[in-house]
Each structure stands twice: as C-alpha cells, then as structure tokens.
Amino acid sequence: MPGTPVFDAAAAVRVWTIVVAGGSGQRFGAPKQFASLFGDERVIDRSCDVARSCAGRVVVVLPSADQVENWRAARPDDVAVVGGSTRSESVRAGLAAVPADADIVCVHDAARPLATAALFEAVVAAVRAGADGAVPALPVTDTVKVVDPSGAVVSTPDRSTLVTVQTPQAFAASVLRAAHASGAEGTDDASLVEQAGGRVVVVTGESWNHKITDPADLDRARALLADRHETALS
C-alpha cells in the first residue's frame, strides 16, 4: 500500500514510473481506471499513489487531452500525456516524457491498484543488481494446453516452467527505450525487451495484485480494501 518512499536521493538512482491509464475500458463497459475504488479514491488514484511513493516522478498516460489538462491542474507534480491506440503506443508516449537522465523506468498498469510499494522495490532492486528488466510473477497452478486453430491440442507444457506476470515491471531506461524504438507491439513491455535480446528476471508477485478487467474484479478489489480497513480499525 502507499507509504514511506522506498527510494531516496542518497541512492543516486533516478527512477521514474509510467502509469498506463489510456484504455477505453471496452471489456469493462467504461474507463475502469476512473471507477471508484474505496471512499473518494479511484482505481487510478491508488495506482499513482503507490508509484509516487517509490519513484522520483510519475508519468500518467491518459485517454484524452481534456483528461490530461484536468490531471495537470489537480496534480502538477506529475507529468501527464495522452496515450495511443495500443498499450505499447501509450507506453511510448509516456517514455517520451521521461527525462534522458533516468536510470530505471517502471511501467505499471493503472488497472492493478493493489500492487504494493514492496513490489516496486523488488523489481527495481533486481534491475539495480544487473538485470535488463524485472517482472513480478506467480506460478501457474492449472494445466496449460497449446491448441491449434481447429481447437486440437498440440502440446502440454511443463507448468513448472510457466508463470503469470504482473506489473509493475522495471527496466534499465536505455534498454526499454531501445526495445520500443522499433515501434513493436507486445502485451507487456518485458516481451519487447526479451525480443530485443534483453535479460528479464522474475521476482515473487503478489496474489492480491489482480488486474481489474471486469466489474467482478473491481468488486473483489473493493472487498479486499474494505476488509483491510476494518482489520486496521479493530
């Protein structure tokens, strides 16, 4: 949860976070990043709060120019930009606003508001230790099948070698810029760094760090926060 910053000036490592919030929310039925989460807090507010606690500055990627103008007026310490038509284009729009002297860039989906400061710290620490990129991951517990276009099973991968990944993802800034320079598309930024030959490592993810995709996911996040609030008061 947002709290004491885990990075400070003494570390001499300049960390920026791009919070990707440029989606239209077609599957959700509305822009989910602006949905109410807990009290007066929206999904995007919590995602940005934890990012600010862990990085020198935050770039927020939003769907429209009007939303950018409103965000800048309300939160002048953030950098706000308009996103693109795809996730990768939105990340590139945010990356263009990150100063050239940044050492590490985190990319975080606004739709994962329950990521903690400790998770940001873990991925950044892995990059500081020498990795080109680091992603939070959880083991796959179900059996996974590879199927062809007709629906026939082609193979069954060994699930001990499989993980599901989350955000925030952290990268050496120069590596992330190089991976995006070709204009390639990917479902996450680590896949672009991998395609460019970068070394990406995993850190232990958080089971509660769900991505809000549909209204049921939002209800689950609200219930979890309400339970934590009640526990803190008891």
Side-chain angles (χ1 to χ4, degrees), residues 115-136:
T116 66
L119 194 57
F120 275 83
E121 183 178 29
V123 292
V124 169
V127 175
R128 291 181 66 180
D132 292 317
V135 300

Side-chain angles (χ1 to χ4, degrees), residues 28-101:
F28 188 82
K32 59 195 173 187
Q33 62 270 40
F34 301 114
S36 175
L37 182 62
F38 187 74
D40 295 332
E41 189 176 48
R42 301 171 300 176
V43 171
I44 190 174
D45 297 329
R46 179 167 284 267
S47 294
C48 288
D49 282 347
V50 70
R52 288 189 204 97
S53 77
C54 303
R57 293 287 298 279
V58 168
V59 178
V60 186
V61 184
L62 296 163
S64 72
D66 287 344
Q67 289 162 330
V68 165
E69 183 177 348
N70 292 337
W71 192 276
R72 289 172 177 170
R75 301 166 180 82
D77 289 339
D78 291 343
V79 178
V81 299
V82 179
S85 60
T86 67
R87 185 186 186 281
S88 294
E89 287 181 2
S90 290
V91 172
R92 284 191 279 275
L95 194 55
V98 174
D101 65 356

Side-chain angles (χ1 to χ4, degrees), residues 8 10 22 28 35 39 49-50 79 115 120 156 183 192 210 217-218 229:
D8 56 36
F28 188 82
D49 282 347
V50 70
V79 178
F120 275 83
T156 304
L192 301 184
H210 310 291
D217 298 324
L218 180 59
H229 181 68

Side-chain angles (χ1 to χ4, degrees), residues 92-178:
R92 284 191 279 275
L95 194 55
V98 174
D101 65 356
D103 297 303
I104 295 174
V105 177
C106 298
V107 182
H108 184 48
D109 291 332
R112 290 187 185 271
L114 301 185
T116 66
L119 194 57
F120 275 83
E121 183 178 29
V123 292
V124 169
V127 175
R128 291 181 66 180
D132 292 317
V135 300
L138 294 174
V140 172
T141 56
D142 293 328
T143 297
V144 176
K145 301 286 186 181
V146 178
V147 298
D148 66 19
S150 72
V153 173
V154 175
S155 64
T156 304
D158 178 1
R159 70 183 180 189
S160 69
T161 67
L162 302 175
V163 295
T164 59
V165 300
Q166 308 172 336
T167 69
Q169 300 183 354
F171 305 93
S174 60
V175 171
L176 185 61
R177 292 187 194 278

